[in-house]
Amino acid sequence: MKNRSLVSIDDINREEILDLLKRARYFEEHPNLNVLQGKVVATLFFEPSTRTRLSFETAVNRLGGRIIGFSDANTSSSAKGETLKDTIKMVSNYVDLIVMRHYLEGAARYASEITDIPVINAGDGANQHPSQTMLDLYSIYKTQGTLENLTITMVGDLKYGRTVHSLLMAMRYFNPTFNFVSCDELKMPVEYKEICDKYGIRYTEHTDFTPEVINSTDILYMTRVQRERFTDIMEYEKVKNLYTLRNNMLLDARPNLRVLHPLPRITEIDQDVDDNPKAYYFEQARNGLFARQAIICRALGIDPENIN
């Protein structure tokens, strides 16, 4: 992998995933370390973000680094017509690391290929979101005590949901069973089901969000139907409220079940679920800080446990 960039979760293997989880745990125990002193990180967000941008910036600040960049592409020279290539080349002159979110699939890979500075993909269209995947894996490991042999139910937007795509790819090392719950318009794309077939991963597809599916689940991964991915607003209106998790739907769930969500949520998880001990999405977001601290240090070749 060039320059230790993290563009796709496919860029790292099982051992590297487990090493990042170990590092995330270390950062949870030691969140404030001055290991990035003298380092400058650019956060280039061509697409709106709250949790991802703020957690990356907090991760850098807590590790003693400095941040430059933008959270609105309209405030950058791209609004004047500057190409992505020129933006990346220009920013690379100033920083040690680029964290980028872009609305085009493949933009992060392209950026990593035209600069010697490591690039972390903070989401590219409906494609990949590897840092979200690492915090998801850390959340799963913390709540289940293992990543092995779990049943994971993914609900909602499985077509455009880059978080579920990345999580599926990462879990191929750990013998999961997947339930895919979605309407026909938002089904898991064929290429990801082919990955399941290639690696011998069991999966079932459902259009109904039934008690049988919920009660056989260890991790219930809810997703938002993303309005910004639809070109036809009527298609969005038709599917946006099809799947909603309510508190009473968890009454007979396994004791170890945890509800995850990459956030923001709209209507897919009722507010009454928030106080259920099985709800874990706010803690999941907090885990993003530690996972991203681990990813940043890996990209820069820094081992926090061996700093003199």
Side-chain angles (χ1 to χ4, degrees):
M1 182 174 54
K2 182 181 177 182
N3 297 325
R4 305 185 73 84
S5 292
L6 183 58
V7 173
S8 165
I9 200 66
D10 208 30
D11 289 337
I12 54 178
N13 59 31
R14 174 191 168 96
E15 289 69 31
E16 290 172 303
I17 287 173
L18 294 175
D19 181 66
L20 279 170
L21 296 181
K22 178 183 175 184
R23 290 183 183 216
R25 181 175 61 190
Y26 181 81
F27 281 118
E28 183 165 9
E29 296 167 352
H30 308 87
N32 299 299
L33 295 172
N34 197 30
V35 297
L36 296 187
Q37 186 173 12
K39 300 293 185 182
V40 180
V41 177
T43 52
L44 310 182
F45 279 72
F46 294 87
E47 188 178 56
S49 170
T50 301
R51 277 149 296 278
T52 301
R53 180 176 61 83
L54 291 180
S55 63
F56 265 116
E57 293 184 356
T58 301
V60 173
N61 287 328
R62 286 190 178 275
L63 296 178
R66 304 191 68 178
I67 293 284
I68 67 170
F70 53 82
S71 59
D72 181 353
N74 290 324
T75 66
S76 75
S77 289
S78 63
K80 303 175 184 177
E82 183 174 65
T83 65
L84 178 61
K85 177 181 179 180
D86 286 2
T87 299
I88 297 300
K89 287 286 192 181
M90 182 273 297
V91 172
S92 296
N93 291 322
Y94 309 140
V95 302
D96 302 286
L97 173 67
I98 292 172
V99 179
M100 187 177 85
R101 169 170 287 193
H102 204 281
Y103 50 86
L104 292 178
E105 296 182 23
R109 179 68 67 194
Y110 175 71
S112 74
E113 291 172 350
I114 60 174
T115 179
D116 292 329
I117 300 299
V119 173
I120 296 174
N121 181 9
D124 61 331
N127 185 31
Q128 286 274 326
H129 198 346
S131 71
Q132 176 72 43
T133 301
M134 287 311 307
L135 76 90
D136 291 344
L137 292 174
Y138 188 48
S139 299
I140 293 169
Y141 185 80
K142 283 179 65 176
T143 61
Q144 305 300 309
T146 183
L147 295 177
E148 302 281 356
N149 305 312
L150 298 173
T151 297
I152 300 175
T153 297
M154 297 174 168
V155 183
D157 183 357
L158 309 188
K159 179 178 181 180
Y160 300 112
R162 57 194 172 197
T163 62
V164 293
H165 299 162
S166 290
L167 182 57
L168 182 151
M169 293 178 67
M171 286 300 300
R172 72 185 188 271
Y173 298 115
F174 304 104
N175 193 37
T177 298
F178 287 115
N179 297 315
F180 300 141
V181 180
S182 69
C183 59
D184 288 339
E185 293 89 340
L186 296 174
K187 290 174 66 173
M188 183 66 73
V190 171
E191 58 264 36
Y192 292 102
K193 290 185 282 188
E194 289 176 346
I195 290 172
C196 290
D197 294 335
K198 177 180 178 180
Y199 290 95
I201 296 170
R202 299 173 298 278
Y203 68 89
T204 57
E205 295 186 274
H206 309 264
T207 55
D208 294 327
F209 193 20
T210 65
E212 290 74 20
V213 169
I214 295 171
N215 297 342
S216 67
T217 295
D218 300 304
I219 294 293
L220 183 56
Y221 199 101
M222 303 297 297
T223 68
R224 172 178 65 94
V225 176
Q226 303 172 82
R227 179 175 181 174
E228 60 269 28
R229 305 293 175 213
F230 285 77
T231 55
D232 185 342
I233 192 61
M234 295 307 296
E235 285 298 309
Y236 167 75
E237 292 293 333
K238 184 169 71 173
V239 300
K240 68 176 183 178
N241 294 322
L242 286 180
Y243 302 104
T244 300
L245 179 66
R246 298 179 176 84
N247 197 41
N248 61 7
M249 297 167 69
L250 297 171
L251 287 174
D252 297 321
R254 293 175 175 177
N256 63 298
L257 178 143
R258 293 297 180 269
V259 180
L260 303 187
H261 191 304
L263 301 177
R265 66 168 167 189
I266 307 300
T267 60
E268 61 276 5
I269 300 178
D270 266 3
Q271 299 281 336
D272 65 357
V273 178
D274 294 355
D275 294 328
N276 192 308
K278 294 180 171 63
Y280 195 74
Y281 29 90
F282 294 124
E283 293 89 342
Q284 175 190 1
R286 180 174 180 269
N287 289 336
L289 171 61
F290 315 123
R292 288 173 174 129
Q293 286 178 314
I295 291 167
I296 289 166
C297 284
R298 179 185 180 278
L300 293 171
I302 296 170
D303 184 350
E305 297 187 63
N306 292 314
I307 296 292
N308 293 323

